[in-house]
Amino acid sequence: MAKILFVVSGADHWNLADGTAHPTGFWAEEAVAPYRAFTGAGHEVVVATPGGVVPTVDRGSLAPEVNGGQEGADAVAAGLEAFEELRQPIALEDVDPDAYDAVFYPGGHGPMEDLAVDPVSGRLLAHVLASGKPLGVVCHGPAALLAATGPDGKSAFAGYRLTGFTNAEETQAGFADKAKWLLQDRLVALGADFQEGEPWAPFVITDRNLITGQNPSSSAPLAAEMLHRLG
């Protein structure tokens, strides 16, 4: 049995370019689908957030229209209810990364607000990347990569092939012209080799021990790849 750390945003809003606070948090499917996959395979999941706050789910991620209908929405809601570890997070500051066999970051706009500038998360990411253990990051979760620097002071993820929520998807979601910055732009700027699949379609990129997914529908195939790595 492996022990897998979920690092989840503690933000309940995302500050937009005009100064308004957009309610957000983590995206339900991106937490539920991997949790089901990992626990279904017999692994243990531990949740950590900045300060140990109980994470907020983005209410928009529970809507039928983003879950393939009411049945899908009900299944995600049931999955959240069963995800008891979300209600008992540990503080990210207290995490020993060597105590875990893999690390996973779900998305939602929350990471754009807190994990993108969190030095504790950044150090954890750089450590896990260097360790060779599976590191899975999906959708807006790669915003956290912006806070990770290597020994040379440059991004720990410079030169890595990866993906994340694209400019095209942010535009179609209606936020591209409202955001202070776009995730794809920032990942390119840090020196990552950003790969882009079709909007909203499952798309997973692996480079060494880094496994990234583009959007919510990529969370299940990303989890499957992590399970494969864990043996």
Side-chain angles (χ1 to χ4, degrees):
M1 182 181 76
K3 193 174 183 181
I4 303 170
L5 179 71
F6 274 47
V7 179
V8 183
S9 169
D12 61 6
H13 69 278
W14 176 34
N15 288 314
L16 302 178
D18 65 0
T20 59
H22 174 70
T24 189
F26 69 89
W27 198 260
E29 180 184 358
E30 296 166 23
V32 168
Y35 177 77
R36 283 179 171 152
F38 297 149
T39 57
H43 301 307
E44 177 187 357
V45 167
V46 175
V47 172
T49 63
V53 301
V54 175
T56 299
V57 64
D58 188 317
R59 304 305 299 182
S61 69
L62 302 176
E65 54 265 32
V66 298
N67 288 293
Q70 190 61 52
E71 185 176 345
D74 291 345
V76 166
L80 273 184
E81 185 64 29
F83 196 162
E84 295 180 0
E85 293 86 349
L86 277 172
R87 296 183 285 278
Q88 301 169 349
I90 63 174
L92 185 56
E93 296 79 1
D94 295 335
V95 166
D96 173 8
D98 294 327
Y100 299 90
D101 301 292
V103 175
F104 171 70
Y105 278 65
H109 280 116
M112 301 274 283
E113 185 67 25
D114 62 353
L115 297 178
V117 294
D118 190 310
V120 176
S121 171
R123 287 191 294 271
L124 184 146
L125 283 164
H127 183 91
V128 176
L129 188 69
S131 76
K133 295 177 181 177
L135 173 59
V137 196
V138 70
C139 201
H140 287 93
L145 310 188
L146 302 177
T149 55
D152 58 2
K154 298 178 182 178
S155 170
F157 293 89
Y160 274 79
R161 294 176 64 250
L162 52 77
T163 190
F165 204 65
T166 64
N167 289 355
E169 288 167 324
E170 203 73 86
T171 299
Q172 292 176 24
F175 286 107
D177 60 349
K178 300 176 183 178
K180 292 181 179 179
W181 48 271
L182 298 178
L183 179 58
Q184 180 176 345
D185 292 347
R186 285 289 180 90
L187 292 171
V188 169
L190 66 76
D193 181 6
F194 190 91
Q195 306 287 308
E196 183 175 357
E198 289 297 315
W200 313 108
F203 187 68
V204 175
I205 291 289
T206 61
D207 186 348
R208 287 155 279 186
N209 59 317
L210 177 65
I211 309 155
T212 50
Q214 180 172 310
N215 46 38
S217 65
S218 305
S219 55
L222 184 152
E225 176 61 25
M226 288 185 70
L227 284 174
H228 176 70
R229 299 289 185 98
L230 287 167

